Each structure stands twice: as structure tokens, then as C-alpha cells.
Amino acid sequence: MAINISLYQVTDDEKVFPKTIGAAVAAHAITLKGGCSIDNPVVSFSCGSAIMATINYAYIDAFGRYYFIRDRKMTVNGVCELTLESDVLQSFETEIKAVNATIARNQYKKDGYLVDNNYKAKSYKNILTREFGQSMDDYSIIIMTVG
Amino acid sequence: MGILYTKSIGDLWKIIKERKTDASDYFTLNVSGTKPRRATYSPIGQPLARIVYARDKHKLNAAAEDTTDINFDAGQIACAYIDNASPTGNDAQYGCPNYTGSAASLSSFTYLHWVNCLPLCENQVAIIDPPEELTWDTNTFPSNLDSLTVHGSSDPDYFWADAKYLVVPITAGMPIFASQADCTDFLNKVSAYFADPDNKEKEKAAKDALDSAINNPNAKEQDEFGKEWAGEDGYGYDGTAGSYDDHSDKIDVPTDPAFSLSKCGLIHVYSIDEEDLDNLGDELFPDPSSASTAEGWLEQLVDLLFRGNLVQYVLDVHIVPCAVPIGVGSNIKIGTKRTSVLGNEIDHDYVTVEAGTISIPEYFKNFADFCSTNCRIFCPFYGYVDVLPEFWNGGTLKLVYKFNLIDGSFMIYIKSTSGHSQLEDTVIAQYAGMACVHTPITGVSYANLVSGLVSGVGGIAINAAAKNAGGAITGAINTVNNIRNAAEMQQSNPYGASSSILSGRQPYLLIEYPAYNVSAGYTKEEGLPLNMYAAIGDMKGFTVVENPILDGIPCTDAERDRIRNLLASGVIIK
């Protein structure tokens, strides 16, 4: 069965999704090495060394998944071997986005009155005084008598 | 000219103070839905203003004048039209009317255009925070441009030049303040402050106007769970909902006791002055040899022979730290003698003194105002008392004293109107003390004074220890700060009745705020607390989901675990 891999160079951080994936740098038919998993396949194909230097991302159509290229090896015969790990965020973007869940933290939305334990504070405190509207400056002499 | 970045209202205010220039120096945001270089403007010079926020990546493309987008990570910010309608008529010429609403719901765009022009618009204020990353279309903009000018004019062919900028941060979803009335209020107050820069009240008024002009961008005003918990399947122990009744009954300062010793007739209570006291001495201790007339000599002799010990009918002379209401003037009666000294006879034992009111706006407008902020009130004649932030932060505190003129005792009532609960002008604390100086009249009374029998027990001042200062923000990660063990500071000791009258007379708050250190990348690297139930796809930017139920994802178990771990550690959603 022919399995094709598309190779990309992606600059987004791994935790970003959806990633900006441009045009494929290359596409190859691949051979699966041994009985590899769909999550973390190891694939090999013939390719040039120039491509190996640029690619860091892949898509295998047969598995319907995107992958990070975790390791790249090249043999003297010009065979490239890639160790892949599935990018679950990209691969299941639609399904993940459809999940309803309690959002604990967010960059833009917030509840400012929830305690944020991540805040860093300086070793000193900012101390200030605020006067009430008036001072109590009066006095009276009281004399008490009987009679 | 240049871009100023601030991350807090406090910083913005510092910039305003440093500038201290005419209000017309403030720039205006040039906003338009379809045409650039529009601004709200009144030909009669009435100040109009708009305060808009923006952040994150802005991309300015002057070539596409009418459709330039400012792309934020979370979407677009636009300050366009009320109800997002397109401008027509005067609006098209004079720009957009002010907009009030949520940034996230705006559908048009905000265009920041760079052109030099003559300043035609007056007194317009716009506050914008260009992001750290700002890209320019250098084909149109000068290549050496390193700053952003934002300006506008009612005339499409003219623009401001040399505008100055003040910036505040913004996040998508933040309400945008843009009402003319509030902006006018801010401009008027800051102009008044600049005209009188040493006037602290005007400074405060201007700063408060700025602060109140910028809404608090909370995700939700109320607890999101409120509706569900109050329903039939509520979380009460029996499956039903709790009452959720959070109203407060108003507790006021009590009325004075009906009985007054000064009314009883046997006891007379007068307020006098020093001269009166001196004159009384002559009557208490008659001396016929000092008389200048025969009648005077006879009267003094009678007093000496038959009223020689009038002083025994003086129960007490003491000084209390309050004014006494003017009552009936009458000659002071001591024993059987009606003296010639006129005193202010008191017929009510108690005097109420309003010691002042203070309102403190929230410093941070977030959790730090409550869980990391400490405060003490200095109460004259009593000392320092701790007060919870909930009672004063964003609310009002009032001090009321009731003095007992008979023995110099007093009660302090602290009243609160809370900014976050239903408390309104309600007594939240009461303290009793003594504040009077007993004037020894006889050797006996003086001995008693010295021995403490007369002085009584003063107000017990709180040993107000400094809390573990230095950043201990309820479990903050900043472990270095948590190590600090601040020495306890005793701010006052128990006051005696006599010494308490020497205490400070000005009540005040002593507030300890944490000094935060928040990096510029904090929200995109760590996000902010939210606790809102929503579709993950509705979020943008850095997002943490701690316990998602990942149904409906056709992945392997290992992948599901990886998704869960990634969401818990934080992902960035474009």
C-alpha cells in the first residue's frame, strides 16, 4: 500500500494550533519501518540532504495526522529516516475546538477577582496612608458639681 | 513624539503628570470604518474624546487605506460606529460617533494612519497601546519612522502633527470606554489639575476620572454558576438550591441612651473655658482680704465661714477631646452657692462626632485588592485597628465617635459601604475607650489620679504586626519572597485615658499593597484566571483547560492523554 508523506517547515511553537502550514517542501512515498505505531511512526524514503536540513513537520495522508519530526537520520545510501510524533492539536483541531470545558486561564478573557497564584511580587510592599476627611482637634473642659 | 507603553492606569497617570502640558497635546485616535483620518470633532470646539485600547500585533498598511486591519491575536479591534452602522452624512465627514461596547463585538476596523498635518482638532483624547510588535508598511511610511502618530481631523485632508501619545493596555473583550461625557469629564479635570499642579485634590479628581473611565474587563460580572446552582438541581445538600439571598440589613450607630446624668438636677455638668476655671478658683477658695468693697468682703467672709469647703461639691473637672454643643448658659452652682461664673450647662451626657469619611477606589481592580492587601485604621485616642479590604476597597469607610462627657469614655463606630457586597453605611466594628484628662482639684483626687484609680483603662491598641510582607500572595510561586519573615512591628500599646488624649487627632488608613512584578509577556505565556465554561474554539491566545472531557475525538488513548496534558499546561489558539 502506498503511503505518502508531505514534509513541511513550520515555525509555530508546538503548542500553537492551528499552525500556519505553508506549501510542502517535498512529498514522498514512504516505507514504514517495522510495525510502527500511528502515533509515533518511523518512516524512511529516498531524499536529498538539502531537504533534511529544512523540514521539521510532516503529514501522512493515510493516517490523517500531522507529525513533529523528532529525529532525522540519513544513511550513506541517501535514505532518510524520520522519527515522528503526532501533533495531536493540529491533527484533531476541529474536534478539540468543539469540546466544551471549563477554561482555567486565558490570554484575553479573565475574571480579575479570581486569585492568580502565578503573580510575582517584590520583596517589599507599597505602603501608603490616606487621611479621613477631618481631624478631631476639639477639646472641652467639663466641670461636674453637685448641689 | 513617540510611543509610550504603559501597562497600568498608574503608569498612565504618571505619564500625564510628567507631561503636564495642555490637554490639547493629547492625541486623538483617528478612527473610521471606511475612510481614514476621521475623528469626532465639534466645530464649536466642544471637546470630544475617545479612549480606545488595542494590543498585540498591529499591522498597518497605509497602501490599503480603506481596509487596513489591525490584527490582534484575538481578532480585530475597531472603534467604529454605534451599532456598527456605517457612517453617513455628518458622520462620514466628521468621523465616527463615540462607541461604547465590547471590543470583541466590533466588526469594523481601526485604522491608524500616519500623516503630518496641521492640528485642527481640539482637546481630543485617545489612549491606545500599540503592541510590542508593530510592523510598518515602509513603502508609505518613512523608513526612519520609529514611532506611531495617531491623530485625526474633521477635515479629510488635514491631520495632526506632533501629537503625543498616552497608552494603556487592552485585551480583546475589554469594554471600551468612549462616552463623550466621561471623556469630557476627564479632560476638564486634568486641565484643572495642570493649571494648579500642587493641588492634591485636583490631582486625585483627575486621576479618578481617568481610572473610572476605563472599565474593568472582567469576563463576567457574576459567578457563572449562579444560575445553575440556584436551579432545581442545585448543589444544596438535599439537591435543592440555597437561598442565595445576599442582602444586608443596615446596622446604624445606636441612638444615645435616654437617661442623662446631667439632666437629673442634683448633678450639674458645665463646659467652661480656662478663664472660667481660673475664676472659679476665686469662688472656691474665698479670701476676704482680697475684696475691694464692703459687700465683697462680707460675701467672702460668709463664704469662708459657712461655705469654706465648697471644693468638696466639685465632683470632677476633666478635659474631653470633643466640642460640646452650646446649651443654656447659667451660673455655675457648687453646693449651695450659685457662683458668678457663667458656664455652658449641659443637659445631655453624650456627644456624637463624625470623624470623617474616606473612599478608596480599588488600586488594582483585581484579586490583589483583597487577598494581598492589608489595612489598618488609626483611630484617634484608641490606636490602630485592622480592617478587611472588603470593607473599604472600592467602598467607603466612616468613623463616628460617641463621647460620654461625664466620665470621658467613648465608643468608636466604624461604618462601611462595601464595593462588592450589599453592605451600605453599616456599622462593622465598635471599640470602647477612655480619653480624658482629669484635673486634680484636691490632694485626694490628685493621689487617685497618680495611682491610676481615676485614669481608668485606656483603649487597647492593637499590636499591629506587619504581616509576612514581601510578596506572599496566597501561595505565590515566588518562593524567595515567601521566605522573608518580617519583624513584628508594634504600632501602638494600650493607651491610658490621660495619655490617649495626646494621641494623634487625624484618623487615617495605613494601607499595604503588594508591589507586583509582572512581565510584559505574562498574559500570552501564562494567561489570566478565568474559570468559564465555553467551547475551546471560542478562546483565542494562550489557554489552559485543566479537566476537559475529551469526547468525540477519534484519537488513540495515548493521543488523548497528550491532548489532555497539553491543554492542562496551556496551548495557544490562533
Side-chain angles (χ1 to χ4, degrees):
Chain A
M1 170 177 110
I3 296 178
N4 296 314
I5 189 169
S6 300
L7 302 168
Y8 304 89
Q9 185 185 65
V10 168
T11 58
D12 284 331
D13 188 279
E14 288 194 10
K15 62 175 110 174
V16 171
F17 80 106
K19 292 181 174 59
T20 302
I21 303 173
V25 173
H28 293 277
I30 58 172
T31 304
L32 297 176
K33 187 161 182 180
C36 64
S37 73
I38 292 178
D39 301 348
N40 299 282
V42 180
V43 303
S44 62
F45 53 91
S46 297
C47 74
S49 60
I51 291 177
M52 287 287 273
T54 61
I55 56 171
N56 62 2
Y57 203 73
Y59 177 74
I60 299 179
D61 55 1
F63 299 157
R65 280 164 169 72
Y66 291 88
Y67 296 90
F68 300 111
I69 298 175
R70 293 305 189 202
D71 195 16
R72 288 166 278 193
K73 291 179 184 172
M74 193 153 185
T75 71
V76 294
N77 302 326
V79 173
C80 306
E81 181 178 291
L82 303 178
T83 303
L84 309 175
E85 178 183 322
S86 68
D87 180 357
V88 291
L89 294 177
Q90 187 71 26
S91 303
F92 304 104
E93 173 198 344
T94 303
E95 293 86 353
I96 292 172
K97 283 184 170 179
V99 170
N100 286 294
T102 298
I103 312 298
R105 300 183 74 93
N106 182 254
Q107 180 173 346
Y108 297 106
K109 292 185 186 294
K110 66 177 180 285
D111 183 339
Y113 291 107
L114 288 176
V115 175
D116 188 348
N117 289 326
N118 293 0
Y119 262 47
K120 303 287 191 296
K122 298 188 180 180
S123 55
Y124 58 82
K125 282 202 164 185
N126 185 17
I127 300 177
L128 46 88
T129 56
R130 290 281 188 269
E131 292 180 347
F132 279 73
Q134 57 204 65
S135 64
M136 303 176 67
D137 297 323
D138 295 320
Y139 74 93
S140 300
I141 302 173
I142 304 294
I143 181 168
M144 291 172 49
T145 67
V146 64
Chain B
M1 130 173 81
I3 301 173
L4 302 172
Y5 294 91
T6 73
K7 296 303 175 188
S8 70
I9 300 302
D11 288 347
L12 175 63
W13 183 243
K14 281 182 193 170
I15 293 167
I16 292 174
K17 281 180 64 174
E18 285 166 7
R19 292 296 176 106
K20 281 189 181 173
T21 55
D22 187 88
S24 62
D25 280 344
Y26 296 124
F27 70 100
T28 184
L29 177 65
N30 185 9
V31 294
S32 169
T34 56
K35 296 284 185 182
R37 304 165 298 162
R38 295 287 188 263
T40 54
Y41 173 67
S42 166
I44 61 174
Q46 181 184 10
L48 298 173
R50 177 173 301 134
I51 299 177
V52 174
Y53 307 89
R55 68 173 291 163
D56 286 320
K57 297 182 182 179
H58 292 203
K59 185 175 171 96
L60 305 182
N61 182 357
E65 276 193 352
D66 290 345
T67 58
T68 297
D69 290 340
I70 294 180
N71 293 314
F72 302 89
D73 289 342
Q76 296 180 3
I77 294 288
C79 181
Y81 318 106
I82 294 174
D83 298 327
N84 294 316
S86 298
T88 56
N90 284 339
D91 286 343
Q93 180 181 0
Y94 291 112
C96 319
N98 292 319
Y99 179 83
T100 301
S102 167
S105 65
L106 291 171
S107 63
S108 185
F109 59 86
T110 299
Y111 180 73
L112 306 178
H113 188 77
W114 161 259
V115 178
N116 286 322
C117 74
L118 297 172
L120 292 182
C121 298
E122 301 178 7
N123 294 337
Q124 300 206 25
V125 172
I127 302 175
I128 187 170
D129 177 17
E132 289 89 350
E133 299 174 50
L134 188 64
T135 61
W136 300 91
D137 176 358
T138 54
N139 289 329
T140 303
F141 292 174
S143 59
N144 61 348
L145 178 67
D146 62 354
S147 62
L148 171 66
T149 301
V150 176
H151 42 225
S153 167
S154 61
D155 187 324
D157 294 327
Y158 290 95
F159 308 89
W160 281 25
D162 297 324
K164 298 190 176 81
Y165 299 93
L166 303 166
V167 292
V168 292
I170 187 178
T171 56
M174 178 188 285
I176 293 177
F177 162 73
S179 92
Q180 175 179 338
D182 290 338
C183 289
T184 301
D185 179 58
F186 165 66
L187 285 171
N188 289 339
K189 284 179 178 167
V190 78
S191 295
Y193 163 61
F194 285 173
D196 188 7
D198 293 328
N199 189 315
K200 294 294 182 189
E201 285 186 6
K202 289 182 180 175
E203 177 184 351
K204 183 177 183 305
K207 189 180 177 188
D208 287 348
L210 175 66
D211 186 64
S212 67
I214 298 172
N215 294 319
N216 187 11
N218 281 324
K220 286 209 180 283
E221 189 61 34
Q222 295 182 349
D223 184 349
E224 186 178 47
F225 296 124
K227 285 190 213 169
E228 296 172 33
W229 293 129
E232 288 183 355
D233 56 346
Y235 198 52
Y237 74 96
D238 58 355
T240 61
S243 71
Y244 289 92
D245 177 8
D246 57 359
H247 88 277
S248 282
D249 296 323
K250 183 174 176 180
I251 311 298
D252 209 342
V253 173
T255 56
D256 295 338
F259 173 79
S260 280
L261 196 64
S262 52
K263 276 187 194 170
C264 73
L266 175 64
I267 308 293
H268 305 279
V269 185
Y270 307 90
S271 72
I272 57 177
D273 58 28
E274 292 91 330
E275 186 180 348
D276 295 333
L277 192 60
D278 186 29
N279 294 336
L280 264 181
D282 295 334
E283 306 219 16
L284 286 173
F285 306 102
D287 178 11
S289 65
S290 67
S292 59
T293 63
E295 290 82 3
W297 178 87
L298 186 61
E299 185 178 352
Q300 295 263 355
L301 184 63
V302 168
D303 283 346
L304 184 61
L305 293 175
F306 301 105
R307 299 177 184 150
N309 203 15
L310 279 176
V311 70
Q312 68 180 327
Y313 302 114
V314 176
L315 296 176
D316 195 29
V317 176
H318 54 264
I319 301 170
V320 291
C322 62
V324 175
I326 304 297
V328 177
S330 68
N331 292 85
I332 295 175
K333 187 168 188 277
I334 304 177
T336 57
K337 180 177 174 67
R338 180 71 68 174
T339 69
S340 63
V341 178
L342 195 66
N344 175 29
E345 185 156 15
I346 297 164
D347 62 355
H348 188 65
D349 293 356
Y350 311 101
V351 170
T352 299
V353 177
E354 301 266 343
T357 300
I358 191 169
S359 295
I360 304 286
E362 291 180 25
Y363 187 87
F364 299 100
K365 278 194 174 178
N366 64 25
F367 72 98
D369 284 309
F370 299 94
C371 73
S372 304
T373 294
N374 300 314
C375 179
R376 298 175 190 90
I377 304 177
F378 173 72
C379 299
F381 322 117
Y382 188 80
Y384 292 90
V385 296
D386 290 323
V387 59
L388 291 176
E390 283 81 354
F391 291 127
W392 58 271
N393 220 335
T396 300
L397 282 176
K398 190 184 293 184
L399 276 188
V400 178
Y401 280 70
K402 276 191 185 289
F403 290 94
N404 185 334
L405 300 176
I406 302 301
D407 64 359
S409 62
F410 64 83
M411 283 290 292
I412 306 172
Y413 303 87
I414 301 178
K415 301 177 74 175
S416 165
T417 298
S418 172
H420 283 269
S421 62
Q422 304 298 321
L423 284 180
E424 186 174 344
D425 204 30
T426 295
V427 174
I428 52 125
Q430 302 178 49
Y431 305 95
M434 294 278 291
C436 71
V437 176
H438 291 277
T439 306
I441 300 297
T442 66
V444 173
S445 64
Y446 179 73
N448 288 340
L449 174 69
V450 171
S451 71
L453 292 178
V454 176
S455 61
V457 178
I460 305 299
I462 303 296
N463 290 341
K467 300 295 190 295
N468 191 14
I473 300 176
T474 57
I477 296 174
N478 197 344
T479 54
V480 172
N481 291 338
N482 284 332
I483 290 172
R484 171 178 166 170
N485 287 315
E488 290 203 357
M489 179 178 137
Q490 184 173 347
Q491 291 184 265
S492 56
N493 58 346
Y495 291 4
S498 299
S499 56
S500 66
I501 209 164
L502 293 172
S503 83
R505 300 293 191 109
Q506 173 66 57
Y508 63 93
L509 293 182
L510 181 65
I511 307 171
E512 299 173 7
Y513 290 117
Y516 282 132
N517 188 335
V518 181
S519 89
Y522 183 77
T523 55
K524 55 184 169 187
E525 293 167 1
E526 301 194 50
L528 296 166
L530 181 56
N531 201 42
M532 183 169 86
Y533 191 75
I536 293 176
D538 289 344
M539 297 293 115
K540 296 294 180 191
F542 182 84
T543 303
V544 173
V545 185
E546 289 179 340
N547 293 300
I549 298 173
L550 299 174
D551 289 338
I553 303 179
C555 57
T556 64
D557 287 343
E559 288 174 325
R560 200 181 308 278
D561 286 341
R562 209 179 308 153
I563 294 171
R564 189 171 286 112
N565 291 338
L566 282 167
L567 290 173
S569 64
V571 297
I572 299 171
I573 304 172
K574 278 191 187 172

